Amino acid sequence: NSSKESLQKVQIGEVTRSIFYAPQYVALEKGFFEEEGLDVELSTIPGGDKTMTALISDGIDIALVGSETSIYVNAQGTDDPIINFAQLTQTDGTFLVSREKIDNFTWDMLEDTTFLGQRKGGMPQMVGEFVLKKHGIDPHNDLELIQNIDFANISTSFASGTGDFVQLFEPQASVFEKEGIGYIVASFGTESGHVPYTVFMAKESFLNEQKEVAEKFTRAIYKAQQWVYEQSAEEVAKAIQPFFEDTELDIITSSVERYKSQNSFAENPILDNDEWDNLQNIMDEAGELPERLNYEDFVNTEFAEMVTE
Amino acid sequence: MNFLTIQDVSHVYFSKQTSTTALHDISLTVNEGEFISIIGPSGCGKTTLLSIIAGLIKPTVGTVILDNEPIHMKNKKTGYMLQQDYLFPWKTIEENIFLGLKLTNQLTNKTKIKTLSLLKKIGLSNVKDQYPSQLSGGMRQRVALVRTLATDPKLLLLDEPFSALDYQTKLTLEELVYLTLKQFHKTAVLVTHDIGEAIAMSDRIYLLSKGPGKVAQVFTVPKELRQLSPLEIRNSEQYNELFTIIWKELESLEGKN
Amino acid sequence: MNFLTIQDVSHVYFSKQTSTTALHDISLTVNEGEFISIIGPSGCGKTTLLSIIAGLIKPTVGTVILDNEPIHMKNKKTGYMLQQDYLFPWKTIEENIFLGLKLTNQLTNKTKIKTLSLLKKIGLSNVKDQYPSQLSGGMRQRVALVRTLATDPKLLLLDEPFSALDYQTKLTLEELVYLTLKQFHKTAVLVTHDIGEAIAMSDRIYLLSKGPGKVAQVFTVPKELRQLSPLEIRNSEQYNELFTIIWKELESLEGKN
Amino acid sequence: MKEKINVPLLHQQYRNQLRKEKRWVLFFQILIFLAFFLFWQVASHFKWIDPLIFSSPITIWNLFLDKVSDGSLFPHIWTTVFETFLGFIIGTLGGTIFAAILWWSNTLSKIFGPYLVILNAMPKVALGPILIVALGPNMTSIVAMGVLVTIIITTIVIYSSFREVDPNYVKVLQSFGATKFQCFKEAILPSSFPTIISTLKVNVGLSWVGVIVGEYLVSKQGLGYLIIYGFQVFNFTLVLLSLLVIAVFATIMYKLVEVIEQKLLKNG
Amino acid sequence: MKEKINVPLLHQQYRNQLRKEKRWVLFFQILIFLAFFLFWQVASHFKWIDPLIFSSPITIWNLFLDKVSDGSLFPHIWTTVFETFLGFIIGTLGGTIFAAILWWSNTLSKIFGPYLVILNAMPKVALGPILIVALGPNMTSIVAMGVLVTIIITTIVIYSSFREVDPNYVKVLQSFGATKFQCFKEAILPSSFPTIISTLKVNVGLSWVGVIVGEYLVSKQGLGYLIIYGFQVFNFTLVLLSLLVIAVFATIMYKLVEVIEQKLLKNG
Ligand SMILES: Nc1ncnc2c1ncn2[C@@H]1O[C@H](COP(=O)(O)OP(=O)(O)OP(=O)(O)O)[C@@H](O)[C@H]1O
Ligand SMILES: Nc1ncnc2c1ncn2[C@@H]1O[C@H](COP(=O)(O)OP(=O)(O)OP(=O)(O)O)[C@@H](O)[C@H]1O
Ligand SMILES: [Mg+2]
Ligand SMILES: [Mg+2]
């Protein structure tokens, strides 16, 4: 306890509580932050806008949120830009779930069906459309695309009979499969290629003034990423279970397993130029990219590189 | 034959904690065309008695027979004028006085004209499009009287109908109501605080005593007086005599409490 | 010297659309210890006049001087009893009658006892812990009277204080109020509909006419009557005479409208 | 000297004074309005407040002009106004009808009393999934959310106003042999009009809130959709523009209710 | 034969009847309660409704027992109850104070009237980011949301009840030379108590809604957090459990207000 006094306090805000962010919870639960001398306090601030607002108004020091939010903010011009400095997930986290069991899925099966997608303007929706287009499907003509439902209610809508296919996060996808409501037939993460999907970011001024904290923070994250990489899905699930009290262990395990198997968890915190470009391409494709932003200006891999050496 | 028979009526108000005996063993009869008054100290149950006759309250025990039928709520033979005017503030005076006609489905051109002429007689034809809030207390009371008379009830129950009027208007109205009722051979029960008014208008006066209300005494107004109109009565010799008797009686009643 | 001087007072009520002239050019004076009454048809501005004297309404033109000072709202010399009782329903009777004392910071044991004895005199000491809704109209009016008297005002303004009372109680109270006021040499202005009451209690009677209200006539009650108490007055010869005169006057006033 | 009173002149003066006061009130209202937007603009310009989050009046105005000139704002407005209007009407009427039923049967009202309380305290927003399951992810759900938010509170408030009607009015009607329905129509309902109107005013606000929340849950179009989309792409200018548009239309709707009020309560 | 009346006996009968009616009401309330949960259970069991979305009473009950036995439910409950209580108190007091200020100054009330209307119609949910900026992503923001949702409507309703007080009560006080403050204290405030209490009752509901919405914005703990989290992990049993717990506590709070009501309005 006396050591806790000397710990440096860091406040982070996550955009949602998700198994997708497993390494973060590992870092918290396994004490990696404390080993680095950091006392990390985590709040959930649902919605990228609110997380980002909290970051901009200094309510939190570090935000865990999709990189696209930083692009939206930085494109509007600011004196103290939001800098991406440590990547947590590197693929999309959603899965394509079919109502019927399909043994040999091909993407052209989506044609002329009803597809329940994620809400417009968010990363899942953009990736969703990007992947469809990649497979030669025009999302607005070849199928009926429903994009008008709130994130929390998409699963309910599908469960109550809307749509033939749905784009879902874990653990909803696993729950559906377990309950026989739907079947995971493809992964948008695999299809999208690597993107900076969820990234720790902070204001430039924070990174300049608190270099040491940023470095320690990144190191703890890196430790957790390696730990997740090395351990079995069961071990990871057990480690993060305190953060998911009301989810059964087998669901957590199967979710982690799925993310692990498709390399959704980044192996290290480095966000490279290709990933950044890929993200902007996807946004551009969806018509949501306000302007192309320079990798050098808005990504800082200094700390990530320092800790991985 | 009796038009109205009240037989051994008692009434008790109950609340969860308390019970108040408002009336005890009241019996009285009224013939058709008679006019009777009820006087008595405040709180002796006069309003309660009228409400029972109107069928609005079921007495705890006892029976009330009106025109050979036990009274009930849907009866359309009585017109009841409450102690306060209770004109509907969101209705014009005209709508207010037509209310009874409307409710009893009697609203025809003929009844309308009749009611409006009644309003005129009472001196208020010029306010028919106004709202009650624009009238003074006395004017409102007169409108309430017209509303009660409009449906042409066989039995009139009047709870202090003239209390808010200035002396002058009061006398005029007493005269008007008295003559109207006599002319159409109506029966009426009047509650009042004004001994003079009771003498001037009624054939018989019931004096109620308090705690609980029972009939303390009945005064019959002498035949000679009955032939006069209320205005004339007040100037007669016998009026003063009767007044003094009733007053003494009331006084001793108060003394007893 | 005049205790109360009303000089050329006129009052007009304005609303966006209309204007109502309630009082026109009223002038009157009252000496200390005098009791005057104001009578007149309903709507002639009696209540308005009292409100002006109480300082609650600023007259459109004219001045009111009370005890050598122009009247103003914060004056504590007048006690005003409104036309309806306006007892505070959420206060007990005791709290209600102590209200004036509390507001004027005079609530001491002595004033409390005095006020309670007044309540007793008026026949209501047993209801002091009840709420106004549990009282009948007449009882409420008496409580309101005690509330007004409690602060021991030099000038009493009474707006139909006895209208809800039965005849018996009314006479008793008239007597009580009259004697109390005389004893402590108070000044009073009474508004009433009851000519008898006006004669029985006052030194002078102002008759207001309507449309707009102005002083139509002033009657001085003869010296001989003044020496009697209200009860005795009513039985005297001169009372009847004066009554008839005033009544005629009122009648002709009504006729003119 | 005796003053002579000139009533028409005094009346004129009185009306002038009323008019003058009205002008002053208007002046201050406009002053506050301008001061608010001016301060906002200046604060944003000098970065006392973060222009990213708070945008600035001029930016919002430009966006507004853009969206008006390309016509892309109107469909959103009409959608939301339509939904709100529907939600408002159904919620208010429904609430009044429920209140009437409760008034009708004393036993029913005693039985359902506690349940109403519980329903009232339920965060309706959390009932979104149930709505979507029951009504499907479409406009019906949005309107239903608008109704849900208003109907319970309307029922409670109007029912309590029904109960407060002076029973003597009913007595008058009963003395004419009126049926229970006539008592309701002639006494209970009209004497509750002032309460109903003030409930209407409150409901204007609530139904906007309900519909916007409904649009958060599920929508392709509408001001709530714009807000959510604005949040999604961190375009707070869009969010604030939508909020201002909502404010304008809610005020218009409120004023309409006031006009109805003046019509109905002419004898105020 | 003349009937003799036995008042104590009749009174006893009357009271028995009251008691009997009360028992019947209770019986029906419990019946509805049981029927509701029974139907829910059966419907869920036979899959008439989707048990994944609607869960079932027994599943919820088991989850409840689990969470009680491992003590993990209580921190959430206390957090939310505490926030709601704060929001409720501040919202109600604040609203009453604002209403008093408006009553005090007629001009102020005229000037601010339209602004109140606009504020009332604002979907407070959309103001979340502003709260976060102003107060930080913490419990203060949550309580502030509870306050926001209640305060405007409280102000409007209570102010209008202040204005409806019979001016003659004030006249009585003025005739004793009372100051404006005394008039407020002795007449305006006490005669608005019934309205204030009924506003309190409404505010119980609204402050729960506000706090739950606030917990949607930002939270580490609380029933609103559990709801959001339940949606996220598709655990509707958790969502429904939280809703039921909210219902229970909102009802308790409402009953408390009723007790206060009976204390204050003893002279009903
Ligand atoms: N609804 C009621 N509930 C309980 N008690 C009542 C009710 N109405 C009247 N009482 C009581 O019954 C008694 C008689 O009341 P009622 O109104 O009939 O008297 P009243 O003779 O008309 O008096 P007043 O001359 O003052 O009008 C009183 O003691 C009163 O307190
Ligand atoms: N607040 C007001 N606004 C407008 N007009 C009013 C107001 N108060 C009274 N009046 C009008 O002023 C005139 C005088 O009213 P006032 O109440 O003084 O009469 P009154 O003599 O007391 O009548 P009553 O004997 O019926 O009590 C009436 O025509 C009335 O309509
Ligand atoms: Mg009575
Ligand atoms: Mg008057």
Side-chain angles (χ1 to χ4, degrees):
Chain A
N1 245 3
S2 58
S3 70
K4 187 132 191 172
E5 306 264 304
S6 59
L7 295 179
Q8 172 104 29
K9 215 170 162 67
V10 180
Q11 298 207 305
I12 53 178
E14 57 171 0
V15 65
T16 181
R17 175 65 49 89
S18 170
I19 295 172
F20 198 36
Y21 308 152
Q24 175 187 236
Y25 308 121
V26 167
L28 282 163
E29 191 59 26
K30 293 280 165 194
F32 295 156
F33 288 123
E34 273 138 36
E35 281 171 20
E36 294 295 328
L38 298 180
D39 171 19
V40 168
E41 195 186 322
L42 174 70
S43 318
T44 308
I45 309 177
D49 55 309
K50 276 143 214 136
T51 317
M52 192 54 82
T53 302
L55 181 63
I56 290 174
S57 59
D58 296 323
I60 52 176
D61 304 315
I62 295 170
L64 174 65
V65 63
S67 253
E68 83 282 4
T69 320
S70 74
I71 291 178
Y72 290 138
V73 171
N74 290 329
Q76 293 178 47
T78 153
D79 300 339
D80 196 357
I82 306 300
I83 304 298
N84 297 267
F85 72 93
Q87 181 171 10
L88 187 69
T89 61
Q90 59 184 8
T91 72
D92 183 275
T94 57
F95 297 89
L96 181 67
V97 175
S98 158
R99 191 173 294 281
E100 307 297 330
K101 201 172 172 70
I102 301 177
D103 288 330
N104 299 304
F105 173 76
T106 51
W107 284 89
D108 54 17
M109 290 178 180
L110 284 175
E111 278 177 32
D112 298 322
T113 60
T114 305
F115 178 72
L116 195 50
Q118 297 273 337
R119 204 159 198 170
K120 195 164 150 46
M123 212 48 214
Q125 172 253 343
M126 293 190 271
V127 170
E129 290 198 19
F130 178 81
V131 170
L132 289 178
K133 282 181 199 156
K134 189 177 133 192
H135 289 282
I137 300 165
D138 177 352
H140 298 285
N141 290 317
D142 296 344
L143 46 69
E144 192 191 332
L145 179 61
I146 299 178
Q147 291 186 319
N148 61 347
I149 302 171
D150 169 46
F151 165 77
N153 286 301
I154 290 174
S155 46
T156 325
S157 303
F158 186 75
S160 64
T162 306
D164 304 310
F165 292 93
V166 62
Q167 181 184 3
L168 286 182
F169 275 94
E170 286 289 20
Q172 295 166 348
S174 287
V175 173
F176 275 23
E177 201 157 59
K178 188 180 169 201
E179 303 288 340
I181 296 172
Y183 305 89
I184 298 173
V185 293
S187 158
F188 285 91
T190 331
E191 299 292 333
S192 66
H194 284 193
V195 282
Y197 203 78
T198 332
V199 176
F200 289 104
M201 48 188 88
K203 283 178 162 180
E204 190 172 48
S205 56
F206 177 84
L207 294 180
N208 287 339
E209 287 155 22
Q210 310 263 2
K211 278 192 193 315
E212 209 180 323
V213 173
E215 188 194 324
K216 287 173 176 172
F217 184 87
T218 316
R219 182 168 294 120
I221 291 297
Y222 181 46
K223 275 190 204 164
Q225 286 173 326
Q226 283 178 310
W227 192 89
V228 169
Y229 203 72
E230 285 156 10
Q231 299 293 325
S232 68
E234 288 79 14
E235 283 304 314
V236 176
K238 264 186 227 151
I240 66 173
Q241 206 192 8
F243 289 87
F244 297 90
E245 274 173 1
D246 299 283
T247 311
E248 285 156 44
L249 190 59
D250 62 331
I251 294 287
I252 303 178
T253 309
S254 81
S255 303
V256 172
E257 176 62 46
R258 221 179 297 277
Y259 283 138
K260 264 174 83 83
S261 69
Q262 64 179 40
N263 281 327
S264 284
F265 304 127
E267 285 165 55
N268 59 55
I270 299 172
L271 195 176
D272 64 39
N273 207 339
D274 294 342
E275 292 173 317
W276 184 257
D277 276 345
N278 196 21
L279 171 72
Q280 300 208 44
N281 288 341
I282 290 173
M283 290 173 72
D284 199 12
E285 192 74 32
E288 301 287 0
L289 185 66
E291 64 180 284
R292 230 162 233 284
L293 298 184
N294 269 335
Y295 173 73
E296 292 77 26
D297 295 341
F298 300 105
V299 179
N300 180 349
T301 52
E302 179 191 332
F303 307 108
E305 272 155 12
M306 232 186 279
V307 302
T308 50
E309 261 162 20
Chain B
M1 241 246 7
N2 296 329
F3 183 65
L4 171 69
T5 311
I6 298 172
Q7 186 74 46
D8 303 329
V9 163
S10 297
H11 191 74
V12 187
Y13 285 109
F14 293 113
S15 77
K16 205 169 165 191
Q17 312 304 338
T18 62
S19 64
T20 315
T21 309
L23 291 174
H24 186 73
D25 242 350
I26 304 270
S27 296
L28 58 86
T29 57
V30 187
N31 292 328
E32 193 153 8
E34 262 188 333
F35 193 119
I36 68 155
S37 288
I38 297 173
I39 58 175
S42 175
C44 71
K46 302 183 292 295
T47 300
T48 308
L49 184 59
L50 282 203
S51 298
I52 289 174
I53 301 175
L56 298 181
I57 301 183
K58 213 185 132 349
T60 312
V61 295
T63 48
V64 180
I65 311 276
L66 174 68
D67 208 7
N68 298 322
E69 274 183 294
I71 47 105
H72 52 91
M73 268 248 289
K74 295 274 153 293
N75 104 59
K76 286 168 190 174
K77 289 178 199 145
T78 55
Y80 183 14
M81 180 173 162
L82 299 193
Q83 193 163 1
Q84 279 166 58
D85 56 68
Y86 290 109
L87 298 181
F88 290 63
W90 54 87
K91 289 181 189 282
T92 62
I93 298 308
E94 187 175 83
E95 286 163 357
N96 263 295
I97 59 178
F98 289 166
L99 185 65
L101 295 172
K102 190 173 152 200
L103 291 173
T104 50
N105 280 324
Q106 301 178 42
L107 197 59
T108 62
N109 256 336
K110 214 179 110 191
T111 55
K112 274 188 191 176
I113 289 167
K114 214 180 114 199
T115 309
L116 286 175
S117 79
L118 210 55
L119 191 67
K120 195 170 170 186
K121 257 196 207 156
I122 228 155
L124 290 176
S125 55
N126 56 327
V127 299
K128 90 184 179 352
D129 297 319
Q130 294 192 310
Y131 286 92
S133 61
Q134 297 170 276
L135 270 51
S136 78
M139 290 155 99
R140 295 169 59 117
Q141 210 170 36
R142 282 182 274 166
V143 173
L145 183 63
V146 173
R147 179 172 68 182
T148 311
L149 292 172
T151 51
D152 207 12
K154 284 177 142 182
L155 173 65
L156 263 172
L157 305 171
L158 306 170
D159 202 347
E160 309 193 19
F162 308 124
S163 64
L165 303 177
D166 50 292
Y167 198 71
Q168 175 62 23
T169 318
K170 181 171 169 161
L171 290 191
T172 321
L173 274 193
E174 279 177 20
E175 187 87 8
L176 175 71
V177 170
Y178 180 83
L179 293 177
T180 314
L181 296 187
K182 284 294 153 211
Q183 181 182 351
F184 298 103
H185 202 60
K186 305 257 177 226
T187 315
V189 179
L190 170 79
V191 163
T192 180
H193 274 136
D194 182 341
I195 304 178
E197 185 171 297
I199 300 174
M201 298 191 73
S202 34
D203 300 307
R204 232 168 321 117
I205 300 172
Y206 286 84
L207 176 62
L208 297 196
S209 69
K210 203 178 159 181
K214 49 186 148 202
V215 179
Q217 194 129 14
V218 188
F219 305 95
T220 309
V221 180
K223 266 254 170 61
E224 306 83 79
L225 281 187
R226 285 291 97 249
Q227 267 127 27
L228 307 174
S229 79
L231 254 175
E232 297 163 336
I233 291 181
R234 274 195 164 86
N235 293 321
S236 74
E237 185 72 13
Q238 276 181 305
Y239 167 89
N240 281 329
E241 266 170 41
L242 191 53
F243 191 108
T244 318
I245 296 174
I246 299 182
W247 186 5
K248 290 265 157 65
E249 204 57 52
L250 245 172
E251 209 163 17
S252 79
L253 225 57
E254 298 269 328
K256 259 187 271 163
N257 286 354
Chain C
M1 244 242 8
N2 295 329
F3 183 65
L4 171 69
T5 311
I6 297 172
Q7 186 75 45
D8 304 328
V9 162
S10 297
H11 191 74
V12 187
Y13 285 108
F14 293 112
S15 76
K16 207 170 166 191
Q17 312 304 338
T18 62
S19 63
T20 317
T21 309
L23 292 174
H24 185 73
D25 243 351
I26 305 270
S27 296
L28 58 86
T29 58
V30 186
N31 291 327
E32 192 152 7
E34 263 187 331
F35 193 118
I36 68 157
S37 289
I38 297 174
I39 57 176
S42 178
C44 71
K46 302 184 293 295
T47 299
T48 308
L49 184 58
L50 282 203
S51 298
I52 288 174
I53 300 175
L56 298 181
I57 301 182
K58 215 185 127 356
T60 313
V61 295
T63 48
V64 181
I65 311 274
L66 175 68
D67 208 7
N68 299 321
E69 274 181 293
I71 46 103
H72 52 91
M73 268 245 291
K74 295 274 153 296
N75 104 59
K76 286 167 190 175
K77 288 178 199 147
T78 56
Y80 183 14
M81 181 174 163
L82 298 193
Q83 194 165 1
Q84 280 167 55
D85 56 68
Y86 290 109
L87 298 181
F88 290 65
W90 54 87
K91 288 181 189 283
T92 62
I93 298 308
E94 186 174 82
E95 286 163 355
N96 262 295
I97 59 177
F98 289 166
L99 185 66
L101 295 172
K102 189 172 153 200
L103 290 173
T104 50
N105 280 323
Q106 302 178 41
L107 197 59
T108 63
N109 256 338
K110 215 179 112 190
T111 54
K112 274 188 190 174
I113 290 168
K114 214 180 116 198
T115 310
L116 286 175
S117 79
L118 210 55
L119 191 68
K120 194 170 173 187
K121 256 196 207 157
I122 227 155
L124 290 176
S125 54
N126 55 326
V127 299
K128 90 183 177 358
D129 296 319
Q130 295 192 310
Y131 285 92
S133 60
Q134 297 170 276
L135 270 50
S136 79
M139 289 156 100
R140 295 168 59 117
Q141 212 170 33
R142 280 182 275 166
V143 173
L145 183 64
V146 173
R147 180 173 67 181
T148 312
L149 292 172
T151 50
D152 206 13
K154 284 177 141 184
L155 173 66
L156 264 171
L157 306 171
L158 305 170
D159 201 346
E160 309 194 20
F162 308 124
S163 64
L165 304 177
D166 50 293
Y167 198 72
Q168 175 61 26
T169 317
K170 182 170 165 160
L171 290 190
T172 321
L173 273 194
E174 278 178 22
E175 187 86 7
L176 175 70
V177 170
Y178 180 83
L179 292 178
T180 313
L181 296 188
K182 284 293 155 211
Q183 182 182 348
F184 298 104
H185 202 61
K186 304 259 176 221
T187 316
V189 179
L190 170 80
V191 163
T192 180
H193 275 137
D194 182 342
I195 304 178
E197 185 172 299
I199 299 175
M201 297 191 74
S202 34
D203 300 307
R204 233 168 320 119
I205 300 172
Y206 285 85
L207 176 62
L208 298 197
S209 69
K210 204 178 158 180
K214 47 186 149 203
V215 179
Q217 195 127 12
V218 187
F219 305 95
T220 309
V221 180
K223 266 253 169 63
E224 305 83 80
L225 281 186
R226 285 292 95 250
Q227 266 127 28
L228 307 174
S229 78
L231 255 174
E232 298 160 337
I233 292 180
R234 275 194 163 86
N235 293 321
S236 73
E237 184 72 13
Q238 276 181 304
Y239 168 88
N240 281 330
E241 264 169 44
L242 191 54
F243 192 108
T244 318
I245 297 173
I246 299 182
W247 186 5
K248 291 266 158 63
E249 203 57 50
L250 245 172
E251 208 164 19
S252 79
L253 225 57
E254 297 269 328
K256 261 187 275 165
N257 285 354
Chain D
M1 270 304 306
K2 196 154 133 183
E3 305 172 62
K4 203 69 206 126
I5 78 165
N6 179 339
V7 175
L9 181 74
L10 285 170
H11 197 193
Q12 196 52 48
Q13 281 174 0
Y14 173 79
R15 279 158 74 169
N16 285 344
Q17 199 188 320
L18 277 192
R19 210 169 310 132
K20 207 164 132 197
E21 190 193 299
K22 214 166 169 181
R23 269 206 294 269
W24 272 108
V25 166
L26 195 68
F27 169 76
F28 275 111
Q29 284 172 343
I30 294 173
L31 190 73
I32 291 175
F33 183 83
L34 290 181
F36 175 73
F37 283 99
L38 194 73
F39 175 79
W40 183 0
Q41 182 66 40
V42 170
S44 179
H45 185 256
F46 291 105
K47 313 236 164 179
W48 303 337
I49 55 177
D50 196 318
L52 269 183
I53 297 168
F54 290 100
S55 192
S56 79
I58 292 180
T59 323
I60 296 174
W61 180 247
N62 288 335
L63 180 64
F64 175 70
L65 292 183
D66 271 9
K67 287 200 154 285
V68 165
S69 63
D70 69 4
S72 66
L73 189 59
F74 298 117
H76 293 292
I77 294 181
W78 298 146
T79 309
T80 304
V81 167
F82 174 72
E83 291 161 350
T84 307
F85 193 73
L86 262 186
F88 173 74
I89 297 284
I90 300 175
T92 310
L93 275 185
T96 310
I97 290 170
F98 281 150
I101 293 172
L102 293 184
W103 173 84
W104 200 271
S105 160
N106 206 6
T107 318
L108 265 192
S109 81
K110 277 195 188 131
I111 293 175
F112 285 107
Y115 288 111
L116 274 181
V117 173
I118 296 174
L119 284 178
N120 184 39
M122 277 280 165
K124 317 292 178 298
V125 199
L127 301 179
I130 296 173
L131 279 188
I132 289 179
V133 172
L135 304 168
N138 49 45
M139 196 191 275
T140 323
S141 288
I142 302 178
V143 175
M145 187 57 95
V147 172
L148 258 189
V149 167
T150 51
I151 199 164
I152 308 284
I153 190 79
T154 307
T155 308
I156 293 180
V157 173
I158 294 189
Y159 172 61
S160 82
S161 102
F162 281 172
R163 288 210 315 176
E164 275 164 25
V165 173
D166 190 331
N168 284 305
Y169 286 116
V170 175
K171 245 184 167 179
V172 168
L173 296 173
Q174 286 177 338
S175 81
F176 288 120
T179 60
K180 191 152 192 179
F181 176 73
Q182 283 176 321
C183 291
F184 180 76
K185 192 176 137 248
E186 299 288 342
I188 302 297
L189 193 61
S191 60
S192 306
F193 264 144
T195 315
I196 294 180
I197 296 280
S198 84
T199 315
L200 280 183
K201 288 186 181 168
V202 172
N203 280 358
V204 169
L206 287 180
S207 53
W208 277 96
V209 174
V211 163
I212 299 298
V213 169
E215 287 185 351
Y216 280 16
L217 289 181
V218 44
S219 62
K220 286 194 261 286
Q221 221 171 32
L223 296 168
Y225 167 80
L226 281 189
I227 292 177
I228 275 280
Y229 176 74
F231 280 146
Q232 190 84 267
V233 302
F234 210 82
N235 183 345
F236 278 44
T237 308
L238 186 59
V239 172
L240 290 166
L241 171 62
S242 310
L243 281 176
L244 289 179
V245 172
I246 290 173
V248 170
F249 278 86
T251 310
I252 293 175
M253 209 160 140
Y254 187 92
K255 286 285 160 196
L256 282 180
V257 171
E258 270 192 345
V259 170
I260 297 173
E261 176 176 26
Q262 267 153 26
K263 285 259 156 78
L264 280 179
L265 308 179
K266 45 190 187 247
N267 61 325
Chain E
M1 270 306 305
K2 194 153 130 184
E3 305 173 62
K4 203 66 209 124
I5 78 165
N6 179 341
V7 174
L9 182 72
L10 286 170
H11 196 191
Q12 194 52 47
Q13 282 173 0
Y14 173 80
R15 280 159 73 169
N16 285 345
Q17 199 186 320
L18 276 193
R19 209 167 312 131
K20 206 164 137 199
E21 191 193 297
K22 212 164 168 181
R23 269 206 293 268
W24 271 108
V25 166
L26 195 68
F27 169 76
F28 275 110
Q29 284 172 343
I30 293 173
L31 191 73
I32 291 175
F33 183 83
L34 291 181
F36 175 75
F37 283 101
L38 194 72
F39 175 79
W40 184 1
Q41 182 65 41
V42 170
S44 179
H45 185 255
F46 292 104
K47 312 238 164 182
W48 304 336
I49 56 176
D50 193 323
L52 259 190
I53 296 172
F54 290 102
S55 192
S56 78
I58 291 180
T59 324
I60 295 175
W61 180 247
N62 289 334
L63 179 64
F64 175 70
L65 291 183
D66 272 9
K67 286 195 151 285
V68 166
S69 63
D70 71 3
S72 68
L73 188 60
F74 297 118
H76 292 292
I77 294 181
W78 297 147
T79 307
T80 305
V81 167
F82 174 72
E83 291 161 351
T84 307
F85 193 73
L86 263 187
F88 172 74
I89 297 284
I90 299 175
T92 311
L93 275 186
T96 311
I97 291 170
F98 281 151
I101 293 172
L102 293 183
W103 173 83
W104 199 272
S105 160
N106 208 6
T107 319
L108 265 191
S109 80
K110 277 192 188 134
I111 293 175
F112 285 108
Y115 287 113
L116 273 181
V117 172
I118 296 174
L119 283 179
N120 184 40
M122 276 281 164
K124 318 291 179 298
V125 200
L127 302 179
I130 294 175
L131 280 186
I132 292 177
V133 171
L135 304 168
N138 49 45
M139 195 190 273
T140 323
S141 287
I142 302 177
V143 174
M145 186 57 95
V147 172
L148 259 189
V149 167
T150 51
I151 199 164
I152 308 284
I153 190 80
T154 307
T155 308
I156 293 180
V157 174
I158 294 190
Y159 171 61
S160 82
S161 101
F162 281 171
R163 289 208 316 176
E164 275 164 24
V165 173
D166 190 329
N168 284 306
Y169 287 116
V170 175
K171 248 185 165 178
V172 168
L173 295 173
Q174 286 177 338
S175 80
F176 289 120
T179 60
K180 191 152 192 180
F181 176 74
Q182 284 176 320
C183 291
F184 180 76
K185 193 178 135 245
E186 300 287 342
I188 302 296
L189 194 61
S191 59
S192 305
F193 264 145
T195 316
I196 293 180
I197 296 280
S198 83
T199 315
L200 280 183
K201 287 186 182 167
V202 172
N203 280 358
V204 169
L206 287 181
S207 54
W208 277 95
V209 174
V211 163
I212 299 298
V213 169
E215 288 186 351
Y216 284 13
L217 286 182
V218 44
S219 61
K220 288 192 262 282
Q221 221 171 33
L223 297 167
Y225 168 81
L226 283 187
I227 292 176
I228 271 265
Y229 170 77
F231 280 136
Q232 173 73 31
V233 301
F234 204 75
N235 184 342
F236 277 79
T237 309
L238 186 61
V239 172
L240 290 165
L241 171 62
S242 310
L243 280 177
L244 288 181
V245 171
I246 290 173
V248 170
F249 278 87
T251 310
I252 292 176
M253 212 161 136
Y254 188 91
K255 286 285 161 199
L256 283 180
V257 172
E258 270 192 345
V259 170
I260 297 174
E261 177 176 23
Q262 268 155 24
K263 284 261 157 75
L264 279 180
L265 306 180
K266 45 191 187 251
N267 62 324

